[in-house]
C-alpha cells in the first residue's frame, strides 16, 4: 500500500509534462527550464521579470524587480493553488533569520496566484554539494546545520511542518542559511496528526511513515538526518536506480555510517530511526546532540570551534607577519609587483610569458624567515619611536657608532655566514622546498582544476548556414567531467588517471620543470663528482698519476650529465603518455648509440688513459673484442654498444616519471649499477667509471625530478 | 558603459557582458563610467585591460587592490582562480576557465552585490560557452547541451551542441542569430540577452 502511494506520487510527477518537480528532478536528473515568462515581461503589475529561478511542482519562480528597484522572487502557482496559497498564507507573517521571508500573496488577472518572496542571491545547498562531491568540511556542516535546524525549529514552534526539506530548498547567502519553498508547508496541530491525503516531499529525503499518511514534525527530523549525512559525505544514505528501490531502503535498510565522522554518527542514526517516536523529540534536541544550542532569539549558537589542522611547529610567514606586525617585502618586476608568498596558478608561466615576465617560485626557508622577522621586529620597534623624540636620535647615533666602529670586524663574520648559507639554501631548495611544494601545489591545483576533457573543434561541415556564419575557430565544446568519489583501486589506476590529467598541463610548465630538473641534476652531479674525486685521490695508489684520475673523473661527470639530461628530456616528453615498454626501450637504445658516440668523443678530447685507471683482477684479463678495444681502451664501437645497451636495459623513464611509485628508490640505483656490471662483463668497459655513471645518473634523476605522492592522493 | 549587454539565463543567473578591451570597476555611485559594486570602495578602484592573451589588472591611485593577498602597485597579469580584494572589503573571483578561449568571468565572493541585479561580469572575447561542465564560462549544471554565444558583425549569434559536447553522437545546431530582448529556449535551457 505504501509503495503504491509512493508509486502514484512518482507517476504523477513523471507524467507532469514539465516533469519539473524539484524532488523528481533528483531522479530524473534533468530539469527543463521552460519558463512561461521571459525577461522584461510583467505578468504581475509592479514586478518586472529578470529571469527564471526555478521550477517546482507547484509553479515557477522568477527573479523580478519592483518598479522601485527592489529585487524579489515571485512564485507563480499554477497547480494545487489552494494548497499552495493556504500554506503560504500560514507562513506569511513568520519572521526568522533562517527562513526566506514571504512578503505578499497576490492574484493576477489570469487567475494565477503569486507569492512574493525575499530574493536570496546566494547558492543553494544543492549547488554547494554538487561542487563538493565528497561532502563539506565538518566545521561548514556544523555552521550550516545549526542554522538550518534553528529555522526548522522555529517552524515547528509555530506548528508548521516543512515536509520538503532538501538541499534545493536551502539557500546560503553570505554565510546565512535560509530555508525556502513553503509550498508544501502544512499546518499540523498536536491533536490533529496526519490525515494527509497525498504523499509529499522528495524520495531521497522522505521519512518512511509518509506513505501511510500519518506523520508529524518527525518527518522533518528525518529529512534533517538525511541532509546531515549528505552534507558530510556528499551522498544520500539511501539511493537506488528506481524510486521503489529508494523507498524500500527507507523502509527497511539501515544507513551505512562508516563514512560519517564519528561524532555525527549517533545523531544521524537516531534521526533516521524507522520509528518516528524513537527519533529526537525536537530539532532542538537534535542540535543539542551536536552541542549546538538555540538562544533566546531563536538563532543557533555554535560550540567553540576547534582548529581542524594542528599548528605547524615552524611559524609560517603569515604568522611571523602577524606576530611582528610587518608588511611583506614586495618584489618589483618590470610590470608587476609580487610578494614572496605569492601563490600562482599552474598556468602562471604561460601568462607571464605574454607579459614578458618570468615566473618566480619563492620558498619559505625558515632561517631566512626568522632573520627577516627579526629585522622586521627591529624596524617596527624603531618605527614606534617618535621621530622628534630624543630617544630616536640617541638610538640612531648608537647604531651609527656601532656600524662605524665594529662594522669592519663584523663584515667577515657576516660574509662567512652568507657563504655557509648559500650551499645550505641550495641543498634545502633541492631536498625540501621545491619538491614537496611542487607536488603539493600540483595536488591542490588538480583538485581545483577541471578534469580532462574531450575537445571537439568546431567543424565546418554543419550545413549551408554554417558556411555563411562560421563559428569562431576555437570552440571548447566539451564533455561534462564527472569527478570520481571513490579512491583509486590501485596504483596503476591512479597513474592512468593522473597521466590523463597531465595532458592538460601547459607545455611551458613542462619545460620549466625540465629546466629546473636539469639545474638540480647538474648541481647534484657536480657535488658528487667533487666528492668522488676527493675519495678517488685519497684511495688511489700513490704511483698513479692524479691527472689520470682527473681526466677519467671529468669524463664520468660529463657522461653522467649527458645521460641524465637525455633521460630527463625523453622522460618529460613521455610523461603524458601511457607506458609502451618495448617502444620506450627501443627508443632509448637508439639514443644510447648517440650517447656512446658522444662519450667516445669526450674520451678522446680528454685523452683519458683508460689502461691506467681501470680496475680489474690481474689474474683474470677482461674480455676485449678486436674491433671494439685497443688493449684496455674501448674504441667507438665499444662506447656505442655499451651505452646503447645500458640505455635499453634499464627503464630510465620510470626514474624520471613524476608519477613514479616512490620518491627515491635505492633499488633503482642498485639495479642501474648491476646492469652496468653485467654489461661491462659482456662488452668490456672501464670500471668503476661505468658503474659510477649508471649509479649517479639514477640517483640524480630521482632527486631532481618532481614527484606526486600517490598515497596522499589516493586517500 | 558602452558595448554592454546583460545575459539572463533562466535557472542559472544574470551576467553583465562587456566586450571592450578595458573595463573599470568601482564602488557606489561609479556607474555608468565603471561597473559598480555596491560597496564603500573608491569610485574608480581598478581596471582590467585585455592585452595580448592576458588580462592585466591595474589599481587606480589610492586604491588598495590585492591579488591573492599580494598588494598591487602596478599592473599584474590575472590568472584563472585569482582572488582580487579591494580595500580589504570587496572580494572578487577571476575565472578564465577554458584554455581555448580568453573570455573571463568575475564574480563577487564577499558580502557585496553588483549594482545591477546580476551574478557576475563576463569579459567577452570572441565566444562565451554556457554549459554543464566546469570548462564552460558560465556553468549551467542542469543543462544537457553547450550553448556557444558569439558576436558577428556587431550582432549576437549562438550555436547549440547537444549531448553535452561528447565526442560521439554530438551534433551542432546551425549558427543562429540572437536578437536582444529575444528569448532563446531549448530543450533544457532558456536565455535572453538584453
Amino acid at each position: 500500500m505504501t509503495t503504491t502511494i509512493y508509486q502514484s506520487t512518482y507517476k504523477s510527477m513523471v507524467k507532469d509534462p514539465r516533469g519539473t518537480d524539484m524532488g523528481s528532478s533528483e531522479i530524473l536528473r534533468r530539469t527543463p527550464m521552460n519558463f512561461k515568462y521571459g525577461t522584461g515581461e510583467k505578468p504581475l503589475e509592479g514586478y518586472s521579470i529578470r529571469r527564471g529561478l526555478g521550477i517546482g511542482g507547484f509553479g515557477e519562480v522568477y527573479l523580478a524587480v519592483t518598479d522601485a528597484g527592489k529585487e524579489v522572487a515571485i512564485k507563480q502557482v499554477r497547480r494545487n493553488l489552494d494548497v499552495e496559497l493556504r500554506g503560504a498564507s500560514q507562513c506569511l507573517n513568520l519572521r526568522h533569520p533562517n527562513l526566506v521571508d514571504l512578503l505578499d500573496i497576490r492574484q493576477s488577472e489570469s487567475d494565477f496566484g503569486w507569492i512574493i518572496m525575499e530574493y536570496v542571491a546566494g547558492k543553494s545547498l544543492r549547488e554547494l554539494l554538487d561542487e563538493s562531491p565528497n561532502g563539506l568540511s565538518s566545521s561548514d556542516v556544523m555552521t550550516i546545520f545549526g542554522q538550518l535546524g534553528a529555522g526548522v525549529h522555529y517552524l515547528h514552534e509555530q506548528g508548521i511542518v516543512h515536509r520538503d526539506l532538501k538541499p534545493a530548498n536551502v539557500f546560503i547567502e553570505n554565510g546565512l542559511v535560509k530555508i525556502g519553498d513553503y509550498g508544501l508547508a502544512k499546518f499540523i496541530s498536536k491533536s490533529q496528526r496526519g490525515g494527509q491525503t497525498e504523499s509529499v516531499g522528495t524520495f531521497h529525503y522522505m521519512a518512511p511513515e509518509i506513505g501511510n499518511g500519518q506523520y508529524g514534525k518527525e518527518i522533518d527530523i528525518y529529512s534533517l538526518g538525511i541532509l546531515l549525512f549528505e552534507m558530510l559525505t556528499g551522498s544520500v544514505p539511501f539511493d537506488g536506480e528506481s524510486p521503489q528501490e529508494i523507498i524500500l531502503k527507507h523502509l527497511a535498510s539501515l544507513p551505512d555510517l562508516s563514512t560519517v565522522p564519528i561524532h555525527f554518527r549517533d545523531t544521524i542514526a537516531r534521526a533516521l530511526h524507522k520509528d518516528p517516536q524513537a527519533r529526537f523529540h525536537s530539532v532542538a534536541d537534535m542540535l543539542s546532540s551536536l552541542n549546538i544550542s538555540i538562544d533566546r532569539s531563536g538563532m543557533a549558537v555554535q560550540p567553540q570551534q576547534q582548529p581542524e589542522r594542528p599548528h605547524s611547529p615552524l611559524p609560517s610567514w603569515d604568522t611571523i607577519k602577524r606576530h611582528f606586525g610587518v608588511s611583506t617585502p614586495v618584489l618589483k618586476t618590470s610590470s608587476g609587483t609580487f610578494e614572496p608568498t605569492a601563490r600562482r596558478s599552474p598556468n602562471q608561466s604561460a601568462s607571464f610569458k605574454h607579459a614578458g615576465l618570468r615566473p618566480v617560485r619563492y620558498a619559505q626557508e625558515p632561517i631566512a624567515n626568522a632573520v627577516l622577522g627579526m629585522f622586521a621586529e627591529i624596524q617596527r620597534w624603531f618605527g614606534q619611536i617618535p621621530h622628534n623624540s630624543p630617544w630616536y636620535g640617541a638610538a640612531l647615533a648608537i647604531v651609527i657608532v656601532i656600524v662605524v666602529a665594529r662594522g669592519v670586524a663584523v663584515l667577515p663574520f657576516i660574509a662567512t655566514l652568507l657563504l655557509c648559507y648559500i650551499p645550505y639554501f641550495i641543498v634545502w631548495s633541492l631536498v625540501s622546498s621545491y619538491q614537496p611544494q611542487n607536488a603539493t601545489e600540483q595536488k591542490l591545483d588538480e583538485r581545483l582544476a577541471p578534469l580532462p576533457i574531450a575537445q571537439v573543434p568546431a567543424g565546418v561541415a554543419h550545413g549551408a548556414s554554417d558556411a555563411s556564419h562560421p563559428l569562431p575557430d576555437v570552440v571548447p565544446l566539451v564533455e561534462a567531467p564527472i569527478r570520481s568519489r571513490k579512491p583509486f583501486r590501485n596504483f596503476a589506476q591512479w597513474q592512468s588517471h593522473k597521466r590523463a590529467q597531465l595532458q592538460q598541463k601547459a607545455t611551458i610548465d613542462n619545460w620549466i620543470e625540465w629546466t629546473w630538473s636539469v639545474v638540480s641534476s647538474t648541481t647534484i652531479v657536480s657535488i658528487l663528482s667533487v666528492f668522488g674525486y676527493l675519495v678517488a685521490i685519497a684511495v688511489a695508489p700513490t704511483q698513479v698519476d692524479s691527472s689520470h684520475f682527473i681526466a677519467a673523473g671529468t669524463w664520468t661527470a660529463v657522461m653522467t650529465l649527458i645521460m641524465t639530461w637525455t633521460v630527463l628530456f625523453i622522460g618529460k616528453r613521455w610523461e603524458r603518455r601511457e607506458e609502451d615498454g618495448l617502444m620506450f626501450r627501443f627508443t632509448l637504445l637508439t639514443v644510447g648509440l648517440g650517447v656512446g658516440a658522444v662519450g667516445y668523443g669526450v674520451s678522446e678530447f680528454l685523452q683519458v688513459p683508460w689502461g691506467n685507471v681501470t680496475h680489474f683482477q690481474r689474474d683474470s684479463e677482461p674480455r676485449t673484442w678486436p674491433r671494439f678495444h685497443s688493449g684496455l681502451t674501448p674504441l667507438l664501437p665499444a662506447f656505442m654498444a655499451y651505452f646503447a645497451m645500458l640505455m635499453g636495459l634499464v627503464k630510465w623513464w620510470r626514474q624520471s616519471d613524476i608519477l613514479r611509485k616512490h620518491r627515491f628508490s635505492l633499488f633503482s640505483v642498485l639495479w642501474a649499477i648491476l646492469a652496468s656490471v653485467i654489461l661491462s662483463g659482456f662488452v668490456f668497459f672501464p670500471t668503476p667509471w661505468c658503474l659510477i655513471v649508471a649509479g649517479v645518473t639514477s640517483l640524480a634523476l630521482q632527486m631532481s625530478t618532481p614527484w606526486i605522492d600517490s598515497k596522499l592522493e589516493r586517500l | 558603459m558602452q558595448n554592454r549587454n546583460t545575459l539572463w539565463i533562466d535557472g542559472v543567473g544574470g551576467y553583465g557582458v562587456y566586450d571592450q578591451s578595458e573595463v573599470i570597476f568601482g564602488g557606489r555611485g561609479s556607474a555608468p563610467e565603471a561597473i559598480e559594486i555596491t560597496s564603500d570602495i573608491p569610485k574608480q578602484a581598478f581596471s582590467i585591460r585585455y592585452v595580448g592573451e592576458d588580462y592585466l589588472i591595474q589599481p587606480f591611485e589610492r586604491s588598495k587592490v590585492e591579488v591573492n593577498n599580494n598588494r598591487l602597485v602596478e599592473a599584474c597579469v590575472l590568472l584563472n582562480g585569482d582572488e582580487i580584494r579591494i580595500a580589504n572589503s570587496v572580494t572578487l573571483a577571476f575565472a578564465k576557465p577554458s584554455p581555448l578561449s580568453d573570455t573571463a568571468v568575475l564574480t563577487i565572493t564577499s558580502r557585496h552585490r553588483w549594482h545591477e541585479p546580476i551574478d557576475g561580469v563576463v569579459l567577452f572575447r570572441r565566444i562565451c560557452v554556457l554549459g554543464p561542465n566546469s570548462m564552460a564560462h558560465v556553468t549551467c549544471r542542469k543543462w544537457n547541451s553547450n550553448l556557444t554565444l558569439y558576436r558577428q558583425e556587431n550582432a549576437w549569434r549562438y550555436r547549440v551542441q547537444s549531448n553535452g559536447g561528447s565526442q560521439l553522437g554530438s551534433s551542432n545546431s546551425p549558427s543562429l542569430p540572437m536578437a536582444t530582448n529575444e528569448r532563446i529556449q531549448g530543450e533544457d535551457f532558456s536565455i535572453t540577452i538584453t
Side-chain angles (χ1 to χ4, degrees):
Chain A
M1 181 62 184
T2 306
T3 306
T4 308
I5 292 169
Y6 274 102
Q7 281 178 330
S8 64
T9 309
Y10 172 67
K11 282 173 184 170
S12 71
M13 289 174 174
V14 174
K15 281 177 180 175
D16 176 2
R18 291 186 179 281
T20 52
D21 181 89
M22 290 299 189
S24 61
S25 68
E26 302 291 331
I27 293 167
L28 299 176
R29 307 308 300 169
R30 295 291 172 198
T31 305
M33 286 292 169
N34 298 325
F35 290 89
K36 184 177 180 184
Y37 301 105
T39 304
E41 290 190 63
K42 286 189 171 183
L44 187 64
E45 192 181 343
Y47 297 93
S48 174
I49 284 178
R50 288 285 180 263
R51 66 179 176 91
L53 290 173
I55 300 175
F58 292 83
E60 299 173 351
V61 188
Y62 296 90
L63 164 64
V65 181
T66 65
D67 292 342
K70 172 82 175 170
E71 290 176 25
V72 292
I74 60 172
K75 181 175 185 176
Q76 187 201 39
V77 184
R78 281 195 271 181
R79 293 178 62 233
N80 297 327
L81 192 64
D82 291 341
V83 174
E84 181 80 348
L85 294 185
R86 190 169 67 241
S89 67
Q90 286 161 357
C91 303
L92 200 56
N93 291 312
L94 299 183
R95 289 285 180 276
H96 191 276
N98 298 124
L99 294 180
V100 172
D101 264 356
L102 299 187
L103 304 174
D104 201 0
I105 296 175
R106 300 271 290 274
Q107 199 94 6
S108 67
E109 291 174 357
S110 53
D111 277 346
F112 286 136
W114 290 89
I115 300 169
I116 295 130
M117 299 177 286
E118 169 192 11
Y119 170 60
V120 185
K123 292 181 177 177
S124 72
L125 182 57
R126 174 76 277 147
E127 288 171 282
L128 278 186
L129 289 170
D130 285 345
E131 290 167 8
S132 307
N134 293 318
L136 309 174
S137 70
S138 292
S139 60
D140 285 347
V141 169
M142 288 288 278
T143 305
I144 294 171
F145 192 75
Q147 297 184 54
L148 179 58
V152 177
H153 180 67
Y154 175 79
L155 279 178
H156 288 181
E157 279 186 331
Q158 308 304 312
I160 306 276
V161 178
H162 190 288
R163 304 200 303 177
D164 196 20
L165 287 171
K166 58 187 177 185
N169 282 342
V170 178
F171 305 93
I172 299 147
E173 183 180 31
N174 295 331
L176 188 63
V177 174
K178 297 229 175 216
I179 303 166
D181 201 349
Y182 295 85
L184 292 172
K186 189 170 183 180
F187 191 83
I188 296 178
S189 69
K190 282 182 180 174
S191 60
Q192 190 190 352
R193 291 179 60 84
Q196 320 303 328
T197 54
E198 60 179 322
S199 291
V200 293
T202 305
F203 294 116
H204 288 108
Y205 307 91
M206 266 186 180
E209 68 269 23
I210 288 180
N212 60 29
Q214 298 286 325
Y215 54 82
K217 63 185 179 185
E218 295 84 7
I219 64 168
D220 282 348
I221 290 173
Y222 187 89
S223 300
L224 285 175
I226 303 269
L227 280 169
L228 184 56
F229 185 101
E230 188 176 5
M231 280 194 279
L232 290 163
T233 64
S235 55
V236 288
F238 304 121
D239 202 357
E241 295 297 317
S242 66
Q244 292 88 339
E245 188 183 344
I246 298 168
I247 292 160
L248 278 174
K249 284 182 178 173
H250 278 300
L251 289 167
S253 298
L254 290 174
D256 175 13
L257 298 176
S258 60
T259 54
V260 174
I262 196 159
H263 48 287
F264 288 97
R265 289 181 187 173
D266 288 345
T267 304
I268 295 175
R270 192 170 166 195
L272 298 186
H273 206 287
K274 307 299 176 196
D275 178 5
Q277 300 308 315
R279 291 178 205 146
F280 293 102
H281 295 303
S282 69
V283 179
D285 285 350
M286 187 177 182
L287 293 180
S288 172
S289 72
L290 296 171
N291 288 329
I292 302 171
S293 56
I294 295 177
D295 66 12
R296 296 174 73 180
S297 65
M299 299 286 285
V301 179
Q302 297 281 336
Q304 189 66 33
Q305 298 271 332
Q306 295 297 320
E308 290 194 345
R309 292 179 182 175
H311 286 295
S312 166
L314 288 174
S316 68
W317 176 247
D318 284 340
T319 310
I320 291 169
K321 276 201 300 184
R322 279 198 302 277
H323 183 70
F324 293 109
V326 298
S327 59
T328 307
V330 174
L331 172 80
K332 281 201 173 189
T333 63
S334 58
S335 59
T337 301
F338 301 94
E339 290 182 2
T341 51
R343 183 198 72 78
R344 311 301 295 175
S345 76
N347 293 329
Q348 172 188 12
S349 49
S351 290
F352 269 58
K353 179 188 68 177
H354 302 307
L357 300 174
R358 285 177 177 277
V360 182
R361 188 184 292 278
Y362 293 94
Q364 295 189 16
E365 196 282 304
I367 294 177
N369 274 351
V371 173
L372 286 172
M374 186 184 71
F375 278 119
E377 167 70 354
I378 294 169
Q379 190 186 7
R380 188 188 64 80
W381 174 81
F382 208 67
Q384 284 176 345
I385 305 173
H387 286 202
N388 53 1
S389 157
W391 291 108
Y392 186 83
L396 205 61
I398 290 169
V399 170
I400 291 169
V401 167
I402 290 173
V403 169
V404 171
R406 294 291 173 189
V408 178
V410 171
L411 274 178
F413 177 68
I414 294 172
T416 309
L417 284 180
L418 276 175
L419 282 175
C420 293
Y421 180 77
I422 290 166
Y424 159 77
F425 182 78
I426 292 169
V427 173
W428 180 85
S429 300
L430 288 173
V431 175
S432 62
S433 174
Y434 175 77
Q435 193 65 50
Q437 183 179 336
N438 182 52
T440 308
E441 275 182 9
Q442 290 210 21
K443 179 168 166 283
L444 293 175
D445 288 336
E446 280 155 10
R447 286 183 180 176
L448 299 171
L451 290 178
I453 55 168
Q455 177 192 329
V456 185
V460 290
H462 291 295
S465 61
D466 289 6
S468 57
H469 301 291
L471 196 63
D473 52 357
V474 179
V475 183
L477 300 177
V478 290
E479 177 68 87
I482 299 168
R483 288 183 183 275
S484 170
R485 295 185 186 187
K486 295 178 182 176
F488 299 101
R489 280 197 297 275
N490 52 42
F491 177 74
Q493 194 185 41
W494 172 84
Q495 209 179 30
S496 175
H497 172 79
K498 298 297 291 184
R499 216 171 286 289
Q501 282 191 343
L502 286 176
Q503 290 172 9
Q504 302 302 311
K505 202 159 82 174
T507 307
I508 186 76
D509 283 347
N510 268 331
W511 292 118
I512 287 171
E513 273 184 11
W514 180 79
T515 309
W516 174 254
S517 297
V518 166
V519 171
S520 306
S521 60
T522 306
T523 310
I524 292 165
V525 171
S526 303
I527 292 169
L528 290 175
S529 298
V530 171
F531 180 75
Y533 170 74
L534 292 174
V535 171
I537 292 291
V539 300
T542 50
Q543 66 272 23
V544 177
D545 189 344
S546 63
S547 65
H548 297 172
F549 274 100
I550 292 173
T554 307
W555 178 88
T556 306
V558 170
M559 288 315 295
T560 306
L561 276 179
I562 290 170
M563 280 267 291
T564 308
W565 293 347
T566 307
V567 174
L568 283 173
F569 179 79
I570 295 172
K572 186 51 79 178
R573 289 186 65 86
W574 289 344
E575 182 181 275
R576 296 185 264 188
R577 291 172 56 180
E578 289 294 333
E579 182 176 291
D580 182 351
L582 191 64
M583 180 57 71
F584 285 9
R585 280 182 194 278
F586 180 75
T587 307
L588 283 178
L589 191 135
T590 310
V591 171
L593 291 171
V595 172
V598 173
Y600 176 74
V602 175
S603 172
E604 287 296 296
F605 177 77
L606 294 171
Q607 296 289 309
V608 183
W610 292 114
N612 296 337
V613 292
T614 301
H615 171 79
F616 61 90
Q617 298 294 327
R618 293 288 170 190
D619 52 351
S620 60
E621 282 287 320
R623 190 173 60 177
T624 55
W625 297 357
R627 292 194 177 84
F628 281 63
H629 300 90
S630 170
L632 290 177
T633 303
L635 301 176
L636 178 63
F639 273 92
M640 292 176 71
Y642 172 79
F643 278 100
M645 288 192 287
L646 182 64
M647 293 283 271
L649 188 63
V650 179
K651 293 179 177 176
W652 295 103
W653 67 89
R654 285 193 179 177
Q655 299 186 25
S656 66
D657 189 1
I658 193 171
L659 302 179
R660 60 190 181 274
K661 207 163 193 170
H662 304 288
R663 168 78 179 85
F664 183 85
S665 165
L666 192 61
F667 174 79
S668 298
V669 179
L670 292 175
W671 166 235
I673 294 171
L674 182 64
S676 176
V677 169
I678 294 167
L679 292 174
S680 63
F682 183 64
V683 181
F684 169 72
F685 211 78
T687 52
W689 312 104
C690 60
L691 313 186
I692 295 172
V693 170
V696 176
T697 300
S698 172
L699 193 138
L701 278 175
Q702 295 183 70
M703 285 183 71
S704 62
T705 45
W707 175 64
I708 299 175
D709 190 349
S710 64
K711 287 178 185 141
L712 282 176
E713 293 235 327
R714 286 159 66 194
L715 282 176
Chain B
M1 302 282 297
Q2 291 181 343
N3 304 329
R4 178 258 161 97
N5 291 94
T6 305
L7 175 65
W8 300 103
I9 312 169
D10 285 341
V12 178
Y15 292 85
V17 183
Y18 297 82
D19 65 354
Q20 58 264 53
S21 60
E22 182 169 17
V23 286
I24 298 168
F25 294 81
R28 186 180 291 278
S30 60
E33 288 77 20
I35 301 175
E36 181 179 335
I37 299 166
T38 310
S39 62
D40 62 349
I41 63 174
K43 286 187 178 179
Q44 289 202 327
F46 67 94
S47 71
I48 293 183
R49 193 157 37 98
Y50 181 66
V51 180
E53 297 174 1
D54 288 319
Y55 288 95
L56 291 177
I57 179 170
Q58 171 82 54
F60 283 103
E61 204 175 350
R62 296 179 187 171
S63 291
K64 186 187 177 190
V65 179
E66 294 168 89
V67 174
N68 298 337
N69 297 321
N70 303 316
R71 175 75 186 268
L72 223 60
V73 294
E74 292 176 356
C76 162
V77 177
L78 281 174
L79 304 173
N80 182 35
D82 277 352
E83 184 189 73
I84 304 164
R85 179 174 295 165
I86 311 121
N88 286 330
S89 168
V90 177
T91 313
L92 298 161
F94 177 85
K96 199 173 150 190
S98 171
L100 304 176
S101 163
D102 285 343
T103 295
V105 180
L106 278 160
T107 47
I108 296 177
T109 53
S110 57
R111 296 166 181 263
H112 298 88
R113 299 281 304 278
W114 302 99
H115 174 64
E116 299 290 324
I118 54 174
D119 298 282
V121 163
V122 174
L123 305 177
F124 183 85
R125 294 283 161 265
R126 299 184 72 205
I127 59 165
C128 177
V129 178
L130 322 176
N133 57 65
S134 58
M135 301 289 279
H137 298 109
V138 178
T139 307
C140 310
R141 294 187 188 282
K142 293 181 179 175
W143 286 22
N144 197 21
S145 322
N146 279 316
L147 186 146
T148 305
L149 195 64
Y150 61 101
R151 280 182 79 84
Q152 197 166 53
E153 295 170 357
N154 290 324
W156 289 102
R157 301 190 71 84
Y158 74 99
R159 171 177 277 170
V160 179
Q161 188 189 39
S162 62
N163 285 346
S166 62
Q167 279 181 309
L168 294 174
S170 62
S171 60
N172 279 348
S173 77
S175 164
L176 296 166
M178 184 179 181
T180 51
N181 295 314
E182 178 194 3
R183 188 147 65 122
I184 305 298
Q185 210 159 340
E187 186 184 333
D188 55 2
F189 66 85
S190 129
I191 63 169
T192 309
I193 198 155
T194 60

